[in-house]
mmCIF file of all heavy atoms in Angstrom:
data_model
loop_
_atom_site.group_PDB
_atom_site.id
_atom_site.type_symbol
_atom_site.label_atom_id
_atom_site.label_comp_id
_atom_site.label_asym_id
_atom_site.label_seq_id
_atom_site.Cartn_x
_atom_site.Cartn_y
_atom_site.Cartn_z
ATOM 1 N N MET A 1 3.575 -12.396 10.500
ATOM 2 C CA MET A 1 3.087 -12.163 11.850
ATOM 3 C C MET A 1 2.063 -13.239 12.206
ATOM 4 O O MET A 1 1.159 -13.527 11.431
ATOM 5 C CB MET A 1 2.462 -10.776 11.924
ATOM 6 C CG MET A 1 1.979 -10.404 13.300
ATOM 7 S SD MET A 1 1.642 -8.650 13.400
ATOM 8 C CE MET A 1 -0.075 -8.687 13.794
ATOM 9 N N ASP A 2 2.222 -13.834 13.375
ATOM 10 C CA ASP A 2 1.275 -14.853 13.825
ATOM 11 C C ASP A 2 -0.025 -14.206 14.254
ATOM 12 O O ASP A 2 -0.036 -13.141 14.880
ATOM 13 C CB ASP A 2 1.857 -15.634 15.013
ATOM 14 C CG ASP A 2 2.981 -16.552 14.601
ATOM 15 O OD1 ASP A 2 2.999 -16.985 13.439
ATOM 16 O OD2 ASP A 2 3.830 -16.833 15.450
ATOM 17 N N ARG A 3 -1.109 -14.869 13.931
ATOM 18 C CA ARG A 3 -2.432 -14.364 14.323
ATOM 19 C C ARG A 3 -2.650 -14.601 15.800
ATOM 20 O O ARG A 3 -2.235 -15.625 16.353
ATOM 21 C CB ARG A 3 -3.498 -15.066 13.497
ATOM 22 C CG ARG A 3 -3.370 -14.665 12.030
ATOM 23 C CD ARG A 3 -4.311 -15.383 11.136
ATOM 24 N NE ARG A 3 -5.659 -15.414 11.664
ATOM 25 C CZ ARG A 3 -6.597 -16.226 11.202
ATOM 26 N NH1 ARG A 3 -6.327 -17.050 10.233
ATOM 27 N NH2 ARG A 3 -7.797 -16.219 11.704
ATOM 28 N N LEU A 4 -3.309 -13.684 16.458
ATOM 29 C CA LEU A 4 -3.589 -13.794 17.886
ATOM 30 C C LEU A 4 -4.842 -14.595 18.166
ATOM 31 O O LEU A 4 -4.973 -15.199 19.232
ATOM 32 C CB LEU A 4 -3.714 -12.401 18.512
ATOM 33 C CG LEU A 4 -2.466 -11.524 18.444
ATOM 34 C CD1 LEU A 4 -2.757 -10.150 19.010
ATOM 35 C CD2 LEU A 4 -1.321 -12.176 19.183
ATOM 36 N N LEU A 5 -5.792 -14.588 17.220
ATOM 37 C CA LEU A 5 -7.054 -15.306 17.381
ATOM 38 C C LEU A 5 -7.201 -16.333 16.267
ATOM 39 O O LEU A 5 -6.939 -16.046 15.104
ATOM 40 C CB LEU A 5 -8.233 -14.334 17.347
ATOM 41 C CG LEU A 5 -8.263 -13.268 18.437
ATOM 42 C CD1 LEU A 5 -9.399 -12.285 18.187
ATOM 43 C CD2 LEU A 5 -8.407 -13.903 19.803
ATOM 44 N N LEU A 6 -7.635 -17.524 16.643
ATOM 45 C CA LEU A 6 -7.765 -18.621 15.690
ATOM 46 C C LEU A 6 -9.192 -19.144 15.657
ATOM 47 O O LEU A 6 -9.898 -19.125 16.670
ATOM 48 C CB LEU A 6 -6.829 -19.767 16.096
ATOM 49 C CG LEU A 6 -5.363 -19.407 16.268
ATOM 50 C CD1 LEU A 6 -4.624 -20.529 16.966
ATOM 51 C CD2 LEU A 6 -4.740 -19.100 14.934
ATOM 52 N N THR A 7 -9.604 -19.659 14.519
ATOM 53 C CA THR A 7 -10.888 -20.335 14.427
ATOM 54 C C THR A 7 -10.741 -21.713 15.075
ATOM 55 O O THR A 7 -9.617 -22.213 15.215
ATOM 56 C CB THR A 7 -11.321 -20.514 12.960
ATOM 57 O OG1 THR A 7 -10.398 -21.407 12.325
ATOM 58 C CG2 THR A 7 -11.383 -19.187 12.217
ATOM 59 N N PRO A 8 -11.842 -22.348 15.446
ATOM 60 C CA PRO A 8 -11.743 -23.708 15.981
ATOM 61 C C PRO A 8 -11.049 -24.669 15.012
ATOM 62 O O PRO A 8 -10.274 -25.526 15.426
ATOM 63 C CB PRO A 8 -13.198 -24.103 16.230
ATOM 64 C CG PRO A 8 -13.870 -22.789 16.531
ATOM 65 C CD PRO A 8 -13.210 -21.815 15.587
ATOM 66 N N GLY A 9 -11.275 -24.508 13.732
ATOM 67 C CA GLY A 9 -10.621 -25.353 12.740
ATOM 68 C C GLY A 9 -9.112 -25.152 12.719
ATOM 69 O O GLY A 9 -8.340 -26.107 12.618
ATOM 70 N N GLU A 10 -8.692 -23.901 12.808
ATOM 71 C CA GLU A 10 -7.252 -23.608 12.840
ATOM 72 C C GLU A 10 -6.610 -24.150 14.117
ATOM 73 O O GLU A 10 -5.504 -24.696 14.084
ATOM 74 C CB GLU A 10 -7.018 -22.102 12.725
ATOM 75 C CG GLU A 10 -7.385 -21.536 11.374
ATOM 76 C CD GLU A 10 -7.464 -20.028 11.347
ATOM 77 O OE1 GLU A 10 -7.647 -19.388 12.410
ATOM 78 O OE2 GLU A 10 -7.347 -19.472 10.234
ATOM 79 N N ALA A 11 -7.316 -24.003 15.235
ATOM 80 C CA ALA A 11 -6.806 -24.524 16.512
ATOM 81 C C ALA A 11 -6.685 -26.046 16.445
ATOM 82 O O ALA A 11 -5.701 -26.621 16.912
ATOM 83 C CB ALA A 11 -7.727 -24.111 17.656
ATOM 84 N N ALA A 12 -7.681 -26.688 15.849
ATOM 85 C CA ALA A 12 -7.647 -28.149 15.707
ATOM 86 C C ALA A 12 -6.446 -28.579 14.883
ATOM 87 O O ALA A 12 -5.733 -29.525 15.238
ATOM 88 C CB ALA A 12 -8.939 -28.637 15.062
ATOM 89 N N GLN A 13 -6.202 -27.879 13.813
ATOM 90 C CA GLN A 13 -5.076 -28.219 12.947
ATOM 91 C C GLN A 13 -3.753 -28.031 13.684
ATOM 92 O O GLN A 13 -2.867 -28.879 13.608
ATOM 93 C CB GLN A 13 -5.113 -27.361 11.687
ATOM 94 C CG GLN A 13 -4.065 -27.742 10.678
ATOM 95 C CD GLN A 13 -4.202 -26.948 9.393
ATOM 96 O OE1 GLN A 13 -4.888 -25.930 9.333
ATOM 97 N NE2 GLN A 13 -3.538 -27.408 8.355
ATOM 98 N N LEU A 14 -3.600 -26.940 14.412
ATOM 99 C CA LEU A 14 -2.355 -26.684 15.140
ATOM 100 C C LEU A 14 -2.106 -27.718 16.232
ATOM 101 O O LEU A 14 -0.965 -28.116 16.471
ATOM 102 C CB LEU A 14 -2.376 -25.284 15.760
ATOM 103 C CG LEU A 14 -2.137 -24.130 14.799
ATOM 104 C CD1 LEU A 14 -2.346 -22.804 15.514
ATOM 105 C CD2 LEU A 14 -0.737 -24.195 14.215
ATOM 106 N N LEU A 15 -3.177 -28.145 16.906
ATOM 107 C CA LEU A 15 -3.028 -29.112 17.991
ATOM 108 C C LEU A 15 -3.025 -30.555 17.497
ATOM 109 O O LEU A 15 -2.706 -31.469 18.255
ATOM 110 C CB LEU A 15 -4.158 -28.937 19.017
ATOM 111 C CG LEU A 15 -4.131 -27.638 19.830
ATOM 112 C CD1 LEU A 15 -5.363 -27.554 20.720
ATOM 113 C CD2 LEU A 15 -2.861 -27.539 20.663
ATOM 114 N N GLY A 16 -3.408 -30.754 16.247
ATOM 115 C CA GLY A 16 -3.478 -32.109 15.719
ATOM 116 C C GLY A 16 -4.663 -32.877 16.268
ATOM 117 O O GLY A 16 -4.608 -34.096 16.440
ATOM 118 N N LEU A 17 -5.740 -32.162 16.550
ATOM 119 C CA LEU A 17 -6.963 -32.758 17.090
ATOM 120 C C LEU A 17 -8.099 -32.532 16.098
ATOM 121 O O LEU A 17 -7.985 -31.727 15.182
ATOM 122 C CB LEU A 17 -7.319 -32.114 18.439
ATOM 123 C CG LEU A 17 -6.261 -32.226 19.532
ATOM 124 C CD1 LEU A 17 -6.643 -31.371 20.731
ATOM 125 C CD2 LEU A 17 -6.077 -33.670 19.938
ATOM 126 N N SER A 18 -9.198 -33.227 16.311
ATOM 127 C CA SER A 18 -10.351 -33.019 15.428
ATOM 128 C C SER A 18 -11.080 -31.735 15.813
ATOM 129 O O SER A 18 -11.028 -31.278 16.962
ATOM 130 C CB SER A 18 -11.313 -34.204 15.509
ATOM 131 O OG SER A 18 -11.975 -34.217 16.755
ATOM 132 N N LYS A 19 -11.762 -31.180 14.844
ATOM 133 C CA LYS A 19 -12.528 -29.958 15.089
ATOM 134 C C LYS A 19 -13.657 -30.225 16.089
ATOM 135 O O LYS A 19 -13.930 -29.392 16.954
ATOM 136 C CB LYS A 19 -13.080 -29.427 13.768
ATOM 137 C CG LYS A 19 -13.555 -28.000 13.848
ATOM 138 C CD LYS A 19 -13.631 -27.370 12.471
ATOM 139 C CE LYS A 19 -15.021 -27.365 11.945
ATOM 140 N NZ LYS A 19 -15.181 -26.604 10.696
ATOM 141 N N SER A 20 -14.266 -31.404 16.005
ATOM 142 C CA SER A 20 -15.355 -31.709 16.937
ATOM 143 C C SER A 20 -14.825 -31.805 18.375
ATOM 144 O O SER A 20 -15.517 -31.399 19.313
ATOM 145 C CB SER A 20 -16.073 -33.000 16.537
ATOM 146 O OG SER A 20 -15.195 -34.098 16.578
ATOM 147 N N TYR A 21 -13.592 -32.317 18.551
ATOM 148 C CA TYR A 21 -13.022 -32.380 19.903
ATOM 149 C C TYR A 21 -12.717 -30.974 20.426
ATOM 150 O O TYR A 21 -12.911 -30.695 21.605
ATOM 151 C CB TYR A 21 -11.768 -33.247 19.928
ATOM 152 C CG TYR A 21 -11.260 -33.469 21.322
ATOM 153 C CD1 TYR A 21 -12.021 -34.160 22.266
ATOM 154 C CD2 TYR A 21 -10.026 -32.993 21.716
ATOM 155 C CE1 TYR A 21 -11.568 -34.356 23.548
ATOM 156 C CE2 TYR A 21 -9.561 -33.189 22.997
ATOM 157 C CZ TYR A 21 -10.337 -33.873 23.919
ATOM 158 O OH TYR A 21 -9.887 -34.064 25.198
ATOM 159 N N ILE A 22 -12.287 -30.079 19.543
ATOM 160 C CA ILE A 22 -12.064 -28.691 19.944
ATOM 161 C C ILE A 22 -13.376 -28.091 20.437
ATOM 162 O O ILE A 22 -13.413 -27.412 21.475
ATOM 163 C CB ILE A 22 -11.478 -27.856 18.785
ATOM 164 C CG1 ILE A 22 -10.077 -28.329 18.435
ATOM 165 C CG2 ILE A 22 -11.486 -26.367 19.117
ATOM 166 C CD1 ILE A 22 -9.035 -28.154 19.520
ATOM 167 N N TYR A 23 -14.478 -28.367 19.730
ATOM 168 C CA TYR A 23 -15.775 -27.848 20.170
ATOM 169 C C TYR A 23 -16.185 -28.442 21.523
ATOM 170 O O TYR A 23 -16.798 -27.757 22.339
ATOM 171 C CB TYR A 23 -16.852 -28.089 19.105
ATOM 172 C CG TYR A 23 -16.818 -27.043 18.018
ATOM 173 C CD1 TYR A 23 -16.371 -27.362 16.745
ATOM 174 C CD2 TYR A 23 -17.215 -25.734 18.265
ATOM 175 C CE1 TYR A 23 -16.334 -26.400 15.734
ATOM 176 C CE2 TYR A 23 -17.181 -24.767 17.270
ATOM 177 C CZ TYR A 23 -16.739 -25.104 16.021
ATOM 178 O OH TYR A 23 -16.697 -24.141 15.039
ATOM 179 N N GLU A 24 -15.831 -29.704 21.781
ATOM 180 C CA GLU A 24 -16.101 -30.295 23.099
ATOM 181 C C GLU A 24 -15.300 -29.567 24.179
ATOM 182 O O GLU A 24 -15.829 -29.288 25.260
ATOM 183 C CB GLU A 24 -15.724 -31.778 23.110
ATOM 184 C CG GLU A 24 -16.654 -32.664 22.328
ATOM 185 C CD GLU A 24 -16.196 -34.120 22.326
ATOM 186 O OE1 GLU A 24 -15.556 -34.552 23.306
ATOM 187 O OE2 GLU A 24 -16.486 -34.818 21.339
ATOM 188 N N LEU A 25 -14.039 -29.271 23.893
ATOM 189 C CA LEU A 25 -13.208 -28.538 24.849
ATOM 190 C C LEU A 25 -13.760 -27.137 25.095
ATOM 191 O O LEU A 25 -13.732 -26.636 26.228
ATOM 192 C CB LEU A 25 -11.762 -28.458 24.347
ATOM 193 C CG LEU A 25 -10.984 -29.766 24.276
ATOM 194 C CD1 LEU A 25 -9.638 -29.546 23.599
ATOM 195 C CD2 LEU A 25 -10.798 -30.364 25.657
ATOM 196 N N LEU A 26 -14.274 -26.509 24.053
ATOM 197 C CA LEU A 26 -14.866 -25.180 24.195
ATOM 198 C C LEU A 26 -16.145 -25.239 25.031
ATOM 199 O O LEU A 26 -16.368 -24.399 25.906
ATOM 200 C CB LEU A 26 -15.161 -24.574 22.820
ATOM 201 C CG LEU A 26 -13.940 -24.239 21.959
ATOM 202 C CD1 LEU A 26 -14.375 -23.844 20.558
ATOM 203 C CD2 LEU A 26 -13.099 -23.164 22.603
ATOM 204 N N ALA A 27 -16.985 -26.257 24.777
ATOM 205 C CA ALA A 27 -18.245 -26.395 25.514
ATOM 206 C C ALA A 27 -18.001 -26.647 26.996
ATOM 207 O O ALA A 27 -18.739 -26.149 27.849
ATOM 208 C CB ALA A 27 -19.081 -27.524 24.919
ATOM 209 N N SER A 28 -16.944 -27.406 27.307
ATOM 210 C CA SER A 28 -16.637 -27.698 28.710
ATOM 211 C C SER A 28 -15.808 -26.590 29.360
ATOM 212 O O SER A 28 -15.464 -26.685 30.535
ATOM 213 C CB SER A 28 -15.874 -29.018 28.816
ATOM 214 O OG SER A 28 -14.587 -28.891 28.244
#
């Protein structure tokens, strides 16, 4: 079963982006 909620690190890995860029997207 796929998880409904992801950590920023997991989201970064799935999108192929850096974790710091994910945090920038979250901040904005």
Side-chain angles (χ1 to χ4, degrees):
M1 183 166 119
D2 288 333
R3 294 176 46 195
L4 298 176
L5 299 174
L6 305 167
T7 66
E10 292 167 338
Q13 186 175 15
L14 284 173
L15 292 176
L17 301 171
S18 71
K19 196 160 100 172
S20 62
Y21 187 64
I22 294 296
Y23 278 109
E24 288 178 30
L25 293 173
L26 293 172
S28 68

